[in-house]
């Protein structure tokens, strides 16, 4: 069996003279969440549609378990949750899911149990007989995700699965995605939420204007491209010059403003214990200490010159 359930090689997509994707390549292994992080309009949805076998690339190829995803036999190995939920608004949630279950060839009795389990998991069980036309956007996204989970594919393609959801439901969906990874699934996740990519991803590709500009684990990207972390120390009273000079031994960049000292450091976890020990030796205690770490948003801003939401 192919070690990488998904291989994307030099994908180009043009509409007329406009290139939407400009040579995208990456691999996703089993038990991996690979996130495409970028603003709306970066080409994420187009790329996922090509991976799912829905549209054709202009150039390049996609292999799902070694085969073209446009092959009908391969499509059963792909679970695709599109950006716009593919649900029937005149039906209720249960009817929608049963329709797809029969389409997938699932036994009705087994499907009924699976449907109820999934609707419970995504918080829609109490609303299962309500027409989808009465659902909010976030509820429709949850229903779309539960439909994707009906079958047991090898590869999951999730296009902004938490858009329109409140924070508590987003975390429930995050837990579902983590469960899929723990089951050995390969997952491609497109998102414009920095925190979502940071929390979930094993690998992140920052995509901008149809190109992957950097790729790596969240921590690798933040360490390589992000600003230094800031260790914020708040004293009960303004520290003396002697104390500030001592703190400068831990970093070249140390600022004091009244009773707050900020220390800039690349590896804060290594020096925070030493800072606390040193202050203890001087008989000084802190009222507050926190570490402000770089984010993927910082990385994106540095590499593109604009914020993710712009």
């Amino acid at each position: 069996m192919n070690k990488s359930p998904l291989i994307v090689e030099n994908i180009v997509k043009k509409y007329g003279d406009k290139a939407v994707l400009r040579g995208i390549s990456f691999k996703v292994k089993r038990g991996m969440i690979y996130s495409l992080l970028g603003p709306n309009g970066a080409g994420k949805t187009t790329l996922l549609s090509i991976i799912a076998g829905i549209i054709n690339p202009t150039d390049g190829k996609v292999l799902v378990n070694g085969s073209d995803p446009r092959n009908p036999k391969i499509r059963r190995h792909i679970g695709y949750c599109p950006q716009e939920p593919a649900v029937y608004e005149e039906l209720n949630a249960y009817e929608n899911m049963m329709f797809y279950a029969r389409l997938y060839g699932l036994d009705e009795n087994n499907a009924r149990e699976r449907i109820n389990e999934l609707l419970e998991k995504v918080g829609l069980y109490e609303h299962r007989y309500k027409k989808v036309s009465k659902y909010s956007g976030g509820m429709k996204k949850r229903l779309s995700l539960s439909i994707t989970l009906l079958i047991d594919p090898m590869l999951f393609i999730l296009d902004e699965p938490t858009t329109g959801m409140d924070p508590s439901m987003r975390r429930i969906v995050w837990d579902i995605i983590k469960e899929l990874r723990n089951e050995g699934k390969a997952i491609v996740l497109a998102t414009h939420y920095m925190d979502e990519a940071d929390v979930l991803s094993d690998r992140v590709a920052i995509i901008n204007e149809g190109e992957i500009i950097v790729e790596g684990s969240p921590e690798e990207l933040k360490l390589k491209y992000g600003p230094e972390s800031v260790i914020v120390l708040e004293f009960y009273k303004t520290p003396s010059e002697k104390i500030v000079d001592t703190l400068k031994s831990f970093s070249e960049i140390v600022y004091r403003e009244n009773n707050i000292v900020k220390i800039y450091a690349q590896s804060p976890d290594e020096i925070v214990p030493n800072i606390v020990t040193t202050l203890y030796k001087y008989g000084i205690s802190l009222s507050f200490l926190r570490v402000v770490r770089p984010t993927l948003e910082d990385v994106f801003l540095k590499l593109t010159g604009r914020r993710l939401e712009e």
Side-chain angles (χ1 to χ4, degrees):
M1 183 175 289
N2 201 306
K3 289 184 179 180
S4 296
L6 174 63
I7 299 175
V8 177
E9 292 186 354
N10 197 35
I11 289 294
V12 174
K13 182 63 179 178
K14 294 181 178 179
Y15 292 101
D17 294 331
K18 182 180 180 181
V20 179
L21 299 173
R22 308 165 184 267
I24 300 287
S25 299
F26 61 88
K27 296 179 181 180
V28 184
K29 298 178 181 179
R30 289 182 177 275
M32 173 186 286
I33 299 174
Y34 189 99
S35 292
L36 300 170
L37 178 65
N40 291 328
K44 304 188 302 297
T45 293
T46 300
L47 177 58
L48 295 192
S49 296
I50 291 172
I51 294 171
I54 297 171
I55 63 175
N56 298 327
T58 303
D59 198 6
K61 65 179 179 180
V62 174
L63 297 175
V64 175
N65 202 25
S67 299
D68 193 310
R70 291 168 289 188
N71 181 338
K73 293 181 180 178
I74 294 299
R75 287 190 177 180
R76 283 195 61 83
H77 297 291
I78 302 172
Y80 178 44
C81 184
Q83 189 177 46
E84 294 298 326
V87 294
Y88 295 95
E89 300 216 346
E90 68 273 17
L91 302 179
N92 62 40
Y94 184 88
E95 291 167 338
N96 264 281
M97 292 197 68
M98 184 57 77
F99 169 79
Y100 279 100
R102 299 302 294 272
L103 195 64
Y104 294 145
L106 301 180
D107 173 79
E108 185 170 348
N109 289 329
N110 292 334
R112 187 179 297 112
E113 182 178 346
R114 179 66 173 156
I115 288 169
N116 288 332
E117 173 192 334
L118 289 172
L119 289 175
E120 181 73 38
K121 180 174 282 191
V122 300
L124 291 177
Y125 184 77
E126 294 181 359
H127 307 283
R128 64 193 183 282
Y129 297 132
K130 181 189 293 186
K131 279 193 175 184
V132 173
S133 60
K134 305 293 185 182
Y135 277 19
S136 67
M139 292 172 74
K140 290 176 185 177
K141 292 287 285 189
R142 284 184 268 158
L143 177 58
S144 183
L145 177 61
S146 64
I147 290 170
T148 305
L149 296 171
L150 270 170
I151 56 173
D152 188 33
M154 172 183 56
L155 171 67
F156 280 90
I157 302 169
L158 308 177
D159 193 354
E160 301 194 3
T162 63
T163 300
M165 295 183 190
D166 61 52
S168 61
M169 185 49 62
R170 285 182 73 207
R171 279 160 179 75
I172 290 173
V173 172
W174 290 357
D175 288 341
I176 292 171
I177 295 172
K178 290 175 184 177
E179 285 176 17
L180 294 174
R181 174 177 58 190
N182 294 340
E183 292 169 5
K185 307 299 184 184
I187 301 158
V188 182
L189 169 70
T191 181
H192 62 271
Y193 293 134
M194 174 276 298
D195 59 335
E196 188 160 274
D198 206 347
V199 167
L200 293 177
S201 309
D202 298 294
R203 303 285 292 177
V204 174
I206 294 182
I207 184 169
N208 189 45
E209 297 181 352
E211 295 181 292
I212 292 177
I213 55 178
V214 290
E215 181 191 45
S217 72
E219 291 307 313
E220 287 172 347
L221 295 182
K222 287 182 286 186
L223 185 61
K224 186 172 183 179
Y225 299 103
E228 291 184 309
S229 297
V230 183
I231 304 166
V232 182
L233 308 175
E234 183 174 334
F235 294 79
Y236 287 102
K237 61 181 181 179
T238 301
S240 65
E241 286 294 337
K242 182 180 180 181
I243 294 299
V244 174
D245 287 342
T246 300
L247 293 174
K248 287 179 180 178
S249 66
F250 297 105
S251 171
E252 294 180 359
I253 306 176
V254 177
Y255 295 111
R256 180 185 65 181
E257 184 175 343
N258 298 323
N259 65 324
I260 293 177
V261 174
K262 294 182 179 180
I263 301 171
Y264 290 74
Q266 199 70 51
S267 303
D269 293 339
E270 295 178 8
I271 67 173
V272 165
N274 295 330
I275 290 172
V276 173
T277 300
T278 299
L279 292 175
Y280 179 78
K281 288 179 180 178
Y282 279 93
I284 297 172
S285 58
L286 296 169
S287 63
F288 181 81
L289 185 155
R290 70 185 175 106
V291 178
V292 181
R293 301 177 186 274
T295 67
L296 290 176
E297 181 86 14
D298 295 323
V299 173
F300 189 86
L301 177 62
K302 181 176 180 178
L303 294 173
T304 68
R306 62 194 181 104
R307 294 199 173 276
L308 196 57
E309 66 269 15
E310 292 179 357

